[in-house]
Amino acid sequence: MLFKQDFHQRLVDGTITTTCRWWKTARVKAGNTYRLNSEGVVKVDGIRRLAMSDISEDEAQASGFESREALIAELARSGTIGEDSSVFRVAFHYVSSDRNPFADVSDDVIADELRALIQRLQKMDSRGPSGS
């Protein structure tokens, strides 16, 4: 999941543990981990759809915004959004700053399959700049 740089430290220290996203369909899955740029990964604890009108002032502040209006303004940057629009509320927690390549991959991928894929890619890289 992408977050603005201004939010990163508060994600790492646990101040921000939710985000609201205006998606047509869910783009994350509970239990999976997602890269937080160079600061590590976040693990999704839960996701649910809710109406914009259900977003409270406390919910907006838990998402890192000063007010409900500031959160709605940010969501509106993606297009026309109204009180009857639905958004996804994603609950998550920061996992670590470990640069483990396996942390970027869904829990649905078997570790052995990922290792085999990494070996194949490394072998291709070793053949030359074009991979041939």
Side-chain angles (χ1 to χ4, degrees), residues 56-116:
S56 67
E57 192 72 24
D58 289 341
E59 182 111 45
Q61 290 174 358
S63 296
F65 291 88
E66 292 182 21
S67 66
R68 181 179 185 275
E69 290 76 27
L71 170 59
I72 292 171
E74 182 63 30
L75 290 169
R77 289 171 42 104
S78 300
T80 306
I81 193 165
E83 287 294 317
D84 60 341
S85 299
S86 64
V87 296
F88 286 95
R89 178 190 180 275
V90 181
F92 59 86
H93 66 277
Y94 177 76
V95 177
S96 74
S97 60
D98 183 14
R99 294 295 298 178
N100 178 352
F102 297 108
D104 291 338
V105 179
S106 165
D107 290 340
D108 297 335
V109 176
I110 298 171
D112 290 339
E113 291 174 351
L114 183 59
R115 281 188 192 90

